[in-house]
Every structure is written in structure tokens, then in C-alpha cells.
Amino acid sequence: MENRLNEEGFIMQYLISGLREEPFIDHTADENQLRYEKYLRSILTIPQTKEPQDRVKLNETGDLGLPWRYYYNYGNWFVDLSTFYSVLTRVEIDAYTQLKVKEDVQVKAVVWSYASVDLWCNGEHVCAMAPPVYKPIQKQTVIFNLKKGINRLYIRLQTLGVRDTRTLFGIQVIDRQDEIRVVLPDEEHTNPVLSCAEWLDQLIIQDGKLLCHTPAPKGTTLGYDSMSPDFARTETKVERHDISGATEAVLEAGRPYIVVECTAEGQKLIRRMEDTAMIVPSFQKKVDYEKNKEVIYHRIADVESLSRGGKFGFSISNILARKVTGRITAKDRALFLETLSQIEKRFDCSDFLVCGLIRYLKNYELDDELKNRVKEVLLNYRYWMDQEGSDAMCFWSENHSLMFYVSAMNAGEFYPEEYFTRAHMTGRQLWEAGKKRVEQWLDDVEERGFEEFLSTVYMCVTFAGLLNVIDYTPKEISDRAVKVTDRLLEMLALHTYKGSVIAPMGRVYRQVIYPFLQGAQALMNLIDPDVPYSYGEGWLAFYATSRYEIPEGLKKLMRDPVLTEYNTGNAVIRLEKNEAYCITSVQSPRKDTDYDRWVNLTLLEERQNVDKTSHAYTKSLNERFHGTTCFEPGVYGYQQHMWSCALDSETQIFANHPGGTCDSSQMRPGYWYGNGVMPAVRQEKGILGAVYQIPKEHPIHFTHVYWPGVKFDQNKVEDHWLFGKKGNGYIGMWCSKKLQPYQDQVFNCEYRSYGDEIAYCVFCGDQKEYNTMEAFIENCKKRTPVYADGELIQISFNSKKLYHRLYGDSMELDESDKKCDIFIGI
């Protein structure tokens, strides 16, 4: 079966062998975890001297000792097996494909990857990309000397598995694309698999049905995923039904998460889809505040352990909830011991577990066996990156750093005279070191605000960490933590619109498309039982034994209209919410001339001494890893969510430049969350504009809009315009490029715009001003937004320029101070 390259010239069909995963151990010491991981990547790659094999067949064992299989991942331009590693791991993949041409020809191509990649064309070693990096993505131009007929491409990928790992590569043919066909080897067996993939590609969800263009292959199943957060239910959370031969299937009400699987030649291919119309907020029956707390704790207690990517579970929050509700199970002792083992092995995020363990120890008694085991684990834990040991733990983000700092204090207090073997300190000394950093963390947030501002994931983690500071540190520190926690909740309440948090965010994940499902809804529901709730990863189990009291006035903040601007971290946030609509964004670039950006110490440490024990240094490492906190257009992004407009708690729209090309990508930035390259953004009353300029060094040259058409009361789509009405509010969106509908995991919710420079203008309105949808549409079109020469101009506002040239004076930086430089080579 012959296949074309995709529209961007990417090869889309491969056989792969892998992932092969092996522990990667190195005992080199380094006080800087980022530098240490860069060093590990530099020594990981095994040089390749020859093509591993020249004959590949489906299901046969490859050179890595693993069988060859067809790679299927709907809509992905890359072979992408990115995943999360909690411990240091060597990761390898082999891939194989064939290019068919009608005559001898020389072809230019680009290899894209974050990993080490070796590529052979007909046995000729044409690419040796090394070492791996965390970001930005690497590219290497190669030449394929193709002979008439079939030409083999063999790829070996090697990388370091550490936390979120970008295990992917892509091959993009630059010229003569129409002359090339992709043909997999072993066609007798691979063609049936390709037929299954083609069948899956053409599935759609419409009007509550799964529609198939041809009858489902034999053995095809339609599954419903419960999306349970419980690791104990990982193997059973998808319920499957055979639909062999069907051309449509009526979807069961209230089961919106769809998994379709079909099998050919022993290969199982899977496509995930969602019926967005069925994904709605969950509300608790009318209860008062105290009763709602009980419901929350029981909800957490019902989960045995929180699934960590389906690989293992974290159970400490669930154990805490079962203790407070009197529902301890026979298995909880084993889960408690498993928690201690995970801490001892220093899984990434084991600082979360330590914080939960501290809370347990502060509130409940242990028998002698558990006391001794806890003491052994805590005395040998690594509380900071300058302490002895090598592992995959993230120390530097806002939430992680606080948890490590306060855990050092608390553990040191438990064993003041004991010797902590990795810290090479007594408990008393560890307490002092942790105290210094907790105070500096509070200093920073008090002065500058949160860096992970409004994150509906990480503010929950920070909330739990702050509760430990409030409950288990001296009064002068505890009182400060109370005020910081009040501020955290006030910000989230301020951005709650008709029940859901609608906000720009310092760090975000995919649930941004369903704001009522985000983790912070657990906090908002704690404050007001009438708003939608979420499980929220169980962090509220910490609150069950805390002295912290929710401040007054938060419900009013949730409900009152507001038009405001404020600073947090390096961001200027604008928010306008009223009965008709909500618009909110980060201003990029910020225009205030008296702005004092904090100094990134990692840019100075090679020229002068800096205090590497300070929280300022931790913040600098965090910015280096997670991306700029100083918002400017054209800078490579990470998980920053830049803007949203909403008409209610479900009907939210935004655009982003994705970090991956398909919804199932595990990249950070992802498909719907974060930005590969950050836009310029400007918000005024009732209007928002955004401009994206994508450099050639980035492989993805489209942006896309999340526009949940099924959620609007009225919805109209034109070439450059989208219009919607919900309740008494209107949204109109204009794009400088033609908007093209695209169906991936969600249906009738996505519009792509292809190009290197793309501008958006969003207008919001009130039914009090526009009696009909038609009147609103007419007004939007009269405003005639224009994008030309790097400027977005909105004519109806007296030709006011929403954006000056993106790369004008604001981007003229001294070479040593360029913001994007601080992320290169990680």
C-alpha cells in the first residue's frame, strides 16, 4: 500500500521496535540538577557504527530485542512515545520505513528531535544527531540519495528518561514531495494494519453517534473510559463492546470518553475520542459548608491511590482521607509501606509524599515497626539537589521548592539530634536550612506574587504545601503563610466565572478545555458548594487536619463583576467579567516602563559568585527549565496559558500554538495547553487580540482555536470568522488566515489556521446592547480588523494599534539578556 507524505512533507508511516527502557545509573555529584541532567544526556548516547539491520518484518524481533509493530497515533506528524519517568532511565526506539520513487533522485529532508538520532538511508549513515536535549527541539538537514524503486530508512533514537521526556522524532521531506511514496516492508502483513489505521482515521462523532465510513473490521470494540483517577482501577476502567461490522453505534448517555480498538495481524490500534456535548459540570446536591467537606473527604477516601500515568499510584492523600473519615482499610498498611518505598527510591514528586507523610505523623500514632521504617526513610531522603544522590526529582518549580523546603524543616524537627546522611547535617541544621528557604519563598511571593499564577493544577499543590507551613512551622512564619494562602484563593475566586475558573495560567494542562473539570475546582467547591466540583488529585485531604480557615468574602469575589489589571510574578494580568462574558489574559509584551524584572542568577553564575543556596537561585533554575516567566512574543513557550474568553462555566474559547500535532501528544507544551511559541497579546474592554509569529526553527506552522460549537446556543462559522451566543453573551472571533475545521479527539470544537504569521481578534458583547445574533455579527464585521506588516489594527477604535511591531524596540535586547537564551541546551 502506497501512502503520500502529509501536507507538510512529513513521513507518517513507520514500523517501530521499542520502547526499550533500562535503569540509567550515574553517581556523579552536582549541586545543580539541571546541569547534572544535561551532563547525563551528554554521556548517554552510544555511538552507532553501522545500520542495525536491513531486513524488517512485522512482529519479528528487532535489534533492540523487541518485536516490530506499526506505529499508530492519530494525526501525529512524529513518531512520538513521549512519557513520564519517575526514575532515571535509558530509552531507545528503532524505527523503519521505505520511500518509493520512479527514478534516481536526490532529496533534501529535515530530521526533528529532542533525542539522539541516527539515520541510515540504504545503509548510508546520513544523520548523527547528539546529544539529547530537553529543549528546544533540534533539527538537522540531511540528503537522501534515493534509487529508483524502494529505499529503506532506518532510525535509532536514544534519550534520557527523566520526568516528562520528549521521546520523538520526525522526518520532513523538503523538496520533490509529490514524487515520493511511503511503502512499508512486509506488505502482506502490514497492508491489513494500514487498512485498520485508515478506518480509524475516518471515524467521527456526530449527534450522539459514532459514525464509520465502512463496516467496522472484525474484532473491533467500542469502549467507554470511566476516567477513574484510581490506580487500582487502571485495568478495568475501560468497558468494551464488540461492534464488528457496524457502520454506526449510538453512544451511551453520560459516557463521553470513547476508546475504539481494532486488531490486524496481531497489532492493536487505538483511537480515543470525546463527545464534548456529554462532558458537563458535576454538582453536589444542596449541602452546607460542613456537610460538603465531609463529602469531599469521602470522595478522596473512595480512591485507593491516585494513578500516576497508569504506572503506579500515590496513596498518601487517600490514606489521610480514610483516617479522618474512619474508613481505614486492610490494605492501607501495605499502601503506607509502599509510600515509604517510593520516598526511599526518590521517585519524582516524592516530595508530595513526604509532605503527606509529615501530616500523617503530626496527627496519628505509628507502631514501633512503622516508626523505625519512617525514621530510616526520612533520615536518608534527599531534601535538596546539593545533597548526596542522583535521581529524577524536580526541585525547582514553585510548588516543588516549597514542599522540599518545608519538609526539610519538619523532618529536621522530628529528629533534631539525628544525622541526615544525604544532607550531611543534623536534624537541627536541616531545620535551619529549610527555614531559611521557606522564609525566602514567602519573601518572594509576598513581593512579586505567584510564578505559577492561577494554575488550576499547581495552585492545588502549593495550597497543600502552604498548609504544612501554616500548621507545622513557628508562628511568625505560619502567620505569613496564612496571608499568602488567602491571596492564592482570592486570585482563583476572582477568576471564577459562573462557577468555573477562567484564567490565564503560569502552567496548565489539557483540562483547560473543560474548565469545570480542572483541579482547582476542588478548592472553589470547598469555598462554595454550589459551584462544580472536581476530585482535584485529593489535595484537600491535607485540609481535613489543618487549622487554616477559609477567608470571608471569596463567594462575593466569585460572583461580582470586575474590570481590573494586576501583577503577579513577571506577568500583567487583565480580567473583565460581567453577566454576559469574561475576557482575561497575560499582556505580552508588558508596556509599563517602570517594571523591575527579577534577575536570573544562572545567567550570572559563570561571571560572578551567586548564592546557590537561595530561593532566588531556585527560581532561576525553574525559569531555565519551565520557560520564561517574562512574557514576550516570539519566545519559545512551555505550559503558559495566555488568554481565554468565556460566556459561562462551559463555553470557553482560546487559541494556542501547539507543542504537538495531535491531541494525544504527551508533550509539554501540549496540543491544547501551553504554546510552542508565545504570542503577542493585548486586551482592552470587550476586545482581545493575539498575534503568533512562528520561526522556521519550529516544526509546527499552525495555530488552532478551541471553539466548542456544541456548547453554544447559537453558532455560526465563516471563512475568517466564528460567532457564538450563550445566555445573554456573544463572542465573535476573526482570524487573519482562513479557519479550517479539524477533528481529532474532540469534534466540532477545533479550527486550524496554517502559516507563519497569524493574528486573532476577539469581540465580546451583551444582549442588552445587541438584540440579536445578527446585529452582533454586523457590528463585528464593521470593525474590520486588519493584520499587515507585523501589526494588528482595529479600525473602529480610531485606528488604534492593538499591537506595535512585534520585534520592534521591546525586543531589542542586549545579547547577554535575551530571554529566550536562558532555555537553550537544557
Side-chain angles (χ1 to χ4, degrees):
M1 183 180 294
E2 296 184 2
N3 294 274
R4 291 180 175 271
L5 306 173
N6 82 346
E7 291 182 356
E8 301 296 319
F10 280 85
I11 300 170
M12 299 285 283
Q13 292 80 30
Y14 295 89
L15 296 185
I16 64 169
S17 173
L19 300 166
R20 184 166 76 177
E21 301 165 322
E22 300 173 332
F24 188 71
I25 299 171
D26 177 85
H27 297 294
T28 305
D30 198 320
E31 63 192 4
N32 180 325
Q33 182 77 10
L34 287 184
R35 185 170 57 209
Y36 174 62
E37 290 172 11
K38 185 176 180 180
Y39 164 73
L40 292 182
R41 292 186 179 98
S42 76
I43 65 171
L44 176 129
T45 304
I46 299 172
Q48 303 297 303
T49 56
K50 64 177 182 177
E51 183 180 17
Q53 62 185 104
D54 59 7
R55 178 181 173 274
V56 169
K57 293 190 70 174
L58 193 70
N59 294 322
E60 287 193 357
T61 300
D63 190 70
L64 293 178
L66 297 167
W68 288 98
R69 59 189 173 95
Y70 178 65
Y71 174 75
Y72 179 74
N73 191 350
Y74 177 81
N76 206 328
W77 301 356
F78 305 89
V79 171
D80 183 357
L81 282 81
S82 301
T83 189
F84 197 93
Y85 293 95
S86 295
V87 295
L88 297 173
T89 307
R90 170 188 287 282
V91 181
E92 294 175 282
I93 306 172
D94 279 6
Y96 188 92
T97 192
Q98 298 176 155
L99 302 183
K100 183 178 180 180
V101 291
K102 293 182 177 179
E103 60 183 8
D104 291 359
V105 64
Q106 190 176 79
V107 171
K108 182 188 294 185
V110 172
V111 179
W112 299 91
S113 186
Y114 299 90
S116 285
V117 174
D118 287 276
L119 169 61
W120 292 265
C121 177
N122 294 328
E124 178 188 3
H125 196 190
V126 297
C127 174
M129 180 187 291
V133 298
Y134 181 71
K135 62 181 180 180
I137 195 167
Q138 303 178 100
K139 61 180 290 191
Q140 186 169 319
T141 300
V142 299
I143 301 297
F144 295 147
N145 293 307
L146 302 181
K147 305 297 184 183
K148 179 180 177 181
I150 302 295
N151 298 264
R152 67 181 187 272
L153 298 183
Y154 196 106
I155 302 96
R156 170 153 293 177
L157 179 149
Q158 304 172 71
T159 197
L160 175 69
V162 51
R163 298 183 304 281
D164 59 303
T165 301
R166 294 143 175 226
T167 311
L168 65 80
F169 75 89
I171 300 176
Q172 182 181 23
V173 177
I174 302 301
D175 51 19
R176 310 182 79 116
Q177 297 172 359
D178 291 339
E179 302 174 29
I180 296 173
R181 298 293 181 267
V182 183
V183 181
L184 290 183
D186 191 18
E187 290 187 86
E188 177 186 355
H189 298 104
T190 56
N191 281 350
V193 181
L194 287 168
S195 294
C196 264
E198 182 180 359
W199 182 83
L200 282 172
D201 283 351
Q202 297 185 54
L203 294 176
I204 62 171
I205 290 176
Q206 185 174 307
D207 300 327
K209 295 180 180 179
L210 176 73
L211 302 181
C212 322
H213 70 293
T214 58
K218 185 178 180 180
T220 299
T221 62
L222 167 63
Y224 298 100
D225 193 334
S226 70
M227 302 299 284
S228 170
D230 196 340
F231 177 67
R233 301 183 183 181
T234 298
E235 299 299 323
T236 60
K237 70 190 188 84
V238 178
E239 180 185 311
R240 296 174 176 85
H241 309 276
D242 190 280
I243 58 168
S244 302
T247 56
E248 67 175 50
V250 177
L251 299 175
E252 295 183 23
R255 307 184 80 177
Y257 300 101
I258 313 303
V259 184
V260 181
E261 300 181 7
C262 58
T263 304
E265 300 294 325
Q267 303 288 296
K268 181 180 287 186
L269 279 61
I270 301 173
R271 185 172 175 195
R272 290 184 172 269
M273 297 176 285
E274 294 170 10
D275 190 338
T276 308
M278 282 200 279
I279 300 175
V280 295
S282 296
F283 292 93
Q284 181 62 41
K285 292 180 180 179
K286 291 287 184 180
V287 292
D288 62 22
Y289 176 77
E290 291 300 326
K291 178 62 178 176
N292 191 50
K293 281 200 300 183
E294 290 182 29
V295 172
I296 289 170
Y297 303 146
H298 278 268
R299 188 180 299 131
I300 300 168
D302 286 341
V303 174
E304 182 176 287
S305 64
L306 175 66
S307 179
R308 300 287 295 178
K311 296 181 178 181
F312 53 85
F314 275 1
S315 60
I316 192 64
S317 291
N318 312 101
I319 293 171
L320 287 169
R322 286 192 284 275
K323 284 291 286 187
V324 81
T325 58
R327 301 170 67 196
I328 283 291
T329 71
K331 195 174 180 180
D332 277 346
R333 185 181 183 88
L335 291 170
F336 191 90
L337 289 168
E338 180 184 53
T339 297
L340 295 178
S341 177
Q342 291 166 342
I343 295 170
E344 185 174 56
K345 294 174 182 176
R346 302 195 303 280
F347 281 18
D348 180 54
C349 296
S350 58
D351 50 308
F352 297 175
L353 302 178
V354 175
C355 276
L357 175 62
I358 295 292
R359 183 159 290 276
Y360 192 101
L361 299 178
K362 288 283 188 177
N363 287 278
Y364 307 110
E365 287 294 322
L366 299 177
D367 59 45
D368 288 343
E369 179 190 0
L370 288 181
K371 280 183 182 178
N372 291 334
R373 179 68 176 130
V374 166
K375 181 177 180 180
E376 177 186 32
V377 168
L378 290 181
L379 288 180
N380 286 281
Y381 191 62
R382 186 176 180 224
Y383 294 90
W384 200 242
M385 68 186 83
D386 58 6
Q387 297 176 11
E388 189 176 288
S390 63
D391 45 59
M393 295 194 295
C394 174
F395 294 88
W396 47 81
S397 71
E398 189 168 70
N399 64 90
H400 280 296
S401 60
L402 175 64
M403 284 197 157
F404 275 109
Y405 297 165
V406 71
S407 293
M409 283 188 72
N410 297 150
E413 181 187 34
F414 277 129
Y415 312 108
E417 306 305 326
E418 298 285 348
Y419 186 70
F420 284 73
T421 55
R422 296 187 184 280
H424 299 295
M425 297 177 181
T426 65
R428 201 175 306 280
Q429 291 170 324
L430 186 65
W431 185 90
E432 288 288 352
K435 175 175 179 288
K436 171 189 169 184
R437 285 175 165 147
V438 167
E439 290 174 326
Q440 289 179 346
W441 191 98
L442 292 169
D443 289 343
D444 181 68
V445 175
E446 287 166 348
E447 178 183 359
R448 294 186 175 272
F450 294 101
E451 296 280 344
E452 293 178 336
F453 56 86
L454 299 166
S455 172
T456 49
V457 174
Y458 291 112
M459 287 292 94
C460 302
V461 186
T462 300
F463 176 79
L466 282 166
L467 293 184
N468 277 22
V469 180
I470 290 167
D471 294 327
Y472 310 133
T473 66
K475 185 176 185 305
E476 64 274 14
I477 298 176
S478 174
D479 290 348
R480 293 174 65 190
V482 167
K483 293 178 181 178
V484 168
T485 308
D486 289 350
R487 177 59 180 151
L488 183 156
L489 295 179
E490 287 165 1
M491 288 175 65
L492 288 170
L494 185 69
H495 281 266
T496 298
Y497 182 63
K498 297 185 179 180
S500 293
V501 177
I502 306 294
M505 302 180 214
R507 292 182 67 192
V508 68
Y509 287 93
R510 186 183 183 270
Q511 282 186 329
V512 68
I513 68 174
Y514 303 123
F516 48 87
L517 295 180
Q518 297 173 112
Q521 288 300 126
L523 293 173
M524 298 301 96
N525 176 258
L526 172 68
I527 296 164
D528 183 354
D530 291 337
V531 307
Y533 69 82
S534 73
Y535 172 69
E537 294 192 337
W539 289 110
L540 286 181
F542 282 51
Y543 186 66
T545 51
S546 177
R547 73 172 183 84
Y548 177 70
E549 296 182 3
I550 301 295
E552 296 291 329
L554 295 185
K555 287 186 182 181
K556 189 172 187 299
L557 272 181
M558 288 182 184
R559 294 169 183 168
D560 283 355
V562 66
L563 179 63
T564 190
E565 174 182 293
Y566 63 92
N567 296 330
T568 180
N570 285 315
V572 174
I573 307 294
R574 286 184 178 167
L575 170 64
E576 179 187 5
K577 68 175 183 177
N578 53 52
E579 289 188 2
Y581 61 82
C582 174
I583 310 177
T584 184
S585 61
V586 177
Q587 302 308 285
S588 170
R590 57 188 299 168
K591 295 293 187 180
D592 43 332
T593 56
D594 59 345
Y595 162 56
D596 177 28
R597 186 203 189 284
W598 55 269
V599 177
N600 189 296
L601 298 183
T602 66
L603 300 179
L604 305 178
E605 62 180 319
E606 293 183 4
R607 305 194 301 269
Q608 64 186 63
N609 290 329
V610 300
D611 184 359
K612 296 180 181 179
T613 69
S614 67
H615 179 64
Y617 188 71
T618 303
K619 270 184 65 173
S620 299
L621 290 174
N622 182 48
E623 183 174 55
R624 189 145 196 162
F625 183 80
H626 282 127
T628 185
T629 60
C630 184
F631 295 90
E632 291 180 332
V635 173
Y636 273 42
Y638 192 67
Q639 290 174 279
Q640 303 94 338
H641 182 65
M642 297 298 286
W643 62 271
S644 285
C645 301
L647 299 183
D648 67 7
S649 64
E650 298 181 61
T651 317
Q652 174 195 227
I653 68 107
F654 62 87
N656 74 314
H657 174 234
T661 62
C662 67
D663 202 346
S664 58
S665 172
Q666 297 301 304
M667 280 283 297
R668 301 185 191 182
Y671 192 66
W672 285 121
Y673 52 94
N675 285 275
V677 176
M678 292 202 292
V681 179
R682 179 74 177 274
Q683 177 181 334
E684 303 292 347
K685 192 174 189 305
I687 183 173
L688 180 143
V691 176
Y692 299 78
Q693 291 193 346
I694 306 167
K696 292 180 180 179
E697 289 71 28
H698 201 287
I700 301 171
H701 288 260
F702 70 85
T703 62
H704 61 163
V705 179
Y706 181 70
W707 182 274
V710 294
K711 298 288 187 180
F712 288 99
D713 297 332
Q714 292 178 256
N715 183 48
K716 185 175 182 180
V717 180
E718 299 182 7
D719 283 350
H720 291 265
W721 285 95
L722 300 171
F723 298 102
K725 179 182 186 297
K726 186 70 176 289
N728 61 341
Y730 299 101
I731 289 181
M733 171 182 275
W734 170 87
C735 181
S736 60
K737 301 286 187 180
K738 184 177 179 180
L739 291 162
Q740 302 180 34
Y742 189 81
Q743 316 288 9
D744 189 329
Q745 199 159 307
V746 295
F747 287 78
N748 303 314
C749 295
E750 177 180 359
Y751 294 87
R752 285 185 175 184
S753 51
Y754 291 86
D756 298 333
E757 295 191 27
I758 303 162
Y760 294 94
C761 209
V762 182
F763 305 99
C764 291
D766 191 329
Q767 195 170 12
K768 294 176 182 177
E769 185 177 1
Y770 307 102
N771 292 330
T772 65
M773 176 85 149
E774 290 70 24
F776 174 73
I777 291 173
E778 181 182 2
N779 181 271
C780 287
K781 290 183 175 180
K782 283 181 178 178
R783 293 176 171 183
T784 57
V786 174
Y787 179 75
D789 299 325
E791 297 176 352
L792 176 57
I793 301 170
Q794 212 288 319
I795 291 176
S796 70
F797 285 76
N798 300 317
S799 295
K800 178 178 181 180
K801 295 178 181 177
L802 288 178
Y803 305 96
H804 299 293
R805 292 188 181 276
L806 296 185
Y807 298 95
D809 293 342
S810 66
M811 295 294 286
E812 292 295 328
L813 303 172
D814 181 81
E815 193 67 27
S816 65
D817 190 39
K818 284 187 178 177
K819 304 301 185 291
C820 53
D821 283 354
I822 66 176
F823 324 117
I824 290 176
I826 293 176

